[in-house]
Amino acid sequence: MSRSTGLDAPGWRTWTVWTIGVLAYVVAIVNRTSLSSVGVDAAVRFDADASTLSMFAVIQLAVYGGMQIPVGILLDRFGARPIITIGMVLMAIGQGVMAFADVVSIGIVARVLIGAGDAAVFPSVLRVIATWFPQQRAPLLVQLTGIIGQFGQIIAVVPLAALLHATSWTVAFGSLAGLAVLFAILTFAVIRNRPPERASDPVDVSVNTDTGAVRVVRSSADLREGFRESWGHPATRLGFWSHFTTPFAGTAFMLLWGFPFLTAGEGLTPAQASFVMTSFVVFGIVLGPVIGALSSRHPTRRSRWLVLPTVAFQAVMWIIVILWPTAAPVWLLLILMFALATGGPASMIAFDHARTFNPSHRLSTATGIVNGGGFIAALIAILFIGIALDLQGAGTPATYSLDAFRMAFLTQIPLWLVGSVAIIVERARTVRHIGGVGNFPHDRGRGGDG
């Protein structure tokens, strides 16, 4: 659908709206990963064993995932401005609670609020892109938004940890609450649901919250998608299992268990551990365009040439690190980070499956199903690692050990195996469903998967 000519050359106001939205997304990532480098401190503060500490991340991710469909409905009803503002307020309240929490139950309440607020931000920024920019610019801006947002992980790993150790838990998390309040004010003051040129436009748009795909919404019926029909298509299930299998190892590492493993397990200093974890973000930023280009050039081989090799690369590198006779050298840990960083870009291929094979009237549901795969796997991985540590008697910072972490991270292997088998099965079913690889439809100039 063509946009008004006033949007063909975005002006300063359009770029300002997008900039505030992107910075708000950076803040959301900081809040999401705020326990990544202070997991040991959290375990001490809450006197929590590994399983209990896992619940902070598990519940936060569960709330984030569960809120995706409600957030989409609210965005279609009210627009980006109020939803992103409410999201920032929820995160501010959550971090304010976290700043003074010293018992597990209160900490979990805080993470629930943070997960709910975080869930509102990225879809809202994509909504801003869809309504303020010409459609042909949307794919680039969505990719750029994702790349810039990942710098929030670096802030959570380095400056936040430094602030906590230089001051106190209350000051560090109180500062995050203050930052979220600032951006709640900025987003409400600057962001508008649509540019003035489209103020009277009765047609709205719906944005797939992970792919950036935009479609016109003409009636409420367009928002009621059929879960059974979406799940019934093998390509949707192929996307689900692709997203289930590729990113969970990196998520579990960066969200909770990476820093304790690197410091208490591998014996790195906090500065060295921060450097290793920061490399994950840098590798992901570099790999995103590369994997995207390969996916575009070889659309009928995405599962076999990109998704499954990515899974194998991650599993092999983890096994090498686990079997290393001594503490792994930094260079080997950096290669592990490179392997884990492939998971995020590869997981985006999963949304290509949903977009390629599902009609527009059920695209949002198919995308939501696919997105759920990654959250489910990450929840299981984080929880299993925590349980495995506890079962070995290494559930607290005082008892963490390299051998215990090695055994705990082995719990990821069944997830990779189950997911890989499912990918192979659903790929074959997809090929049969459409009558052969030669019948794959094109997806915006890109073919289907093979």
Side-chain angles (χ1 to χ4, degrees), residues 11-23 133 190-191:
W12 68 268
R13 183 175 183 180
T14 299
W15 289 112
T16 300
V17 169
W18 176 74
T19 299
I20 295 299
V22 170
L23 292 177
F133 288 88
V190 175
I191 292 178

Side-chain angles (χ1 to χ4, degrees), residues 217-238:
V217 175
R218 298 185 182 278
S219 69
S220 60
D222 288 329
L223 302 176
R224 295 193 298 267
E225 315 292 355
F227 178 91
R228 189 186 315 175
E229 292 180 348
S230 297
W231 180 255
H233 199 297
T236 303
R237 300 194 298 271
L238 175 61

Side-chain angles (χ1 to χ4, degrees), residues 17-329:
V17 169
W18 176 74
T19 299
I20 295 299
V22 170
L23 292 177
Y25 179 49
V26 173
V27 173
I29 295 292
V30 174
N31 280 274
R32 180 190 305 172
T33 56
S34 55
L35 289 181
S36 61
S37 63
V38 297
V40 174
D41 302 87
V44 173
R45 181 176 180 86
F46 293 100
D47 191 23
D49 59 21
S51 298
T52 303
L53 191 61
S54 295
M55 294 307 298
F56 284 111
V58 167
I59 291 175
Q60 178 185 332
L61 285 177
V63 171
Y64 183 99
M67 287 294 294
Q68 289 304 298
I69 293 177
V71 164
I73 294 173
L74 291 172
L75 274 171
D76 287 325
R77 176 66 179 85
F78 298 106
R81 183 194 188 196
I83 301 306
I84 195 171
T85 302
I86 292 171
M88 301 307 294
V89 170
L90 287 174
M91 284 188 288
I93 296 173
Q95 294 292 21
V97 172
M98 198 70 176
F100 295 98
D102 56 7
V103 295
V104 171
S105 58
I106 301 301
I108 287 177
V109 170
R111 302 313 289 184
V112 167
L113 292 169
I114 292 168
D118 181 20
V121 178
F122 187 52
S124 298
V125 178
L126 295 187
R127 181 81 172 203
V128 166
I129 293 172
T131 53
W132 279 81
F133 288 88
Q135 186 170 342
Q136 64 270 23
R137 293 189 183 222
L140 175 61
L141 287 167
V142 169
Q143 184 182 56
L144 188 59
T145 298
I147 290 174
I148 294 174
Q150 297 316 304
F151 284 99
Q153 294 190 60
I154 297 178
I155 296 173
V157 167
V158 182
L160 178 62
L163 177 62
L164 186 149
H165 296 140
T167 56
S168 67
W169 179 278
T170 299
V171 170
F173 284 87
S175 299
L176 289 182
L179 186 63
V181 168
L182 171 63
F183 272 87
I185 296 170
L186 282 174
T187 53
F188 188 79
V190 175
I191 292 178
R192 293 295 182 270
N193 287 344
R194 61 180 65 201
E197 301 95 311
R198 297 187 60 210
S200 60
D201 190 348
V203 177
D204 209 345
V205 295
S206 177
V207 186
N208 293 314
T209 60
D210 278 275
T211 66
V214 181
R215 66 184 178 91
V216 174
V217 175
R218 298 185 182 278
S219 69
S220 60
D222 288 329
L223 302 176
R224 295 193 298 267
E225 315 292 355
F227 178 91
R228 189 186 315 175
E229 292 180 348
S230 297
W231 180 255
H233 199 297
T236 303
R237 300 194 298 271
L238 175 61
F240 173 89
W241 288 111
S242 298
H243 201 257
F244 179 98
T245 315
T246 46
F248 76 83
T251 301
F253 194 93
M254 292 299 294
L255 200 60
L256 187 61
W257 290 121
F259 204 84
F261 166 72
L262 294 173
T263 53
E266 293 289 350
L268 300 186
T269 66
Q272 290 173 320
S274 297
F275 170 74
V276 171
M277 294 183 71
T278 299
S279 71
F280 172 91
V281 181
V282 176
F283 288 143
I285 291 171
V286 173
L287 286 167
V290 174
I291 291 180
L294 290 173
S295 179
S296 297
R297 292 178 182 178
H298 305 283
T300 62
R301 300 178 176 87
R302 291 189 289 221
S303 290
R304 292 179 295 177
W305 286 15
L306 293 174
V307 174
L308 291 173
T310 292
V311 174
F313 186 26
Q314 294 181 61
V316 167
M317 286 310 306
W318 254 126
I319 291 172
I320 291 173
V321 170
I322 288 170
L323 295 179
W324 200 260
T326 60

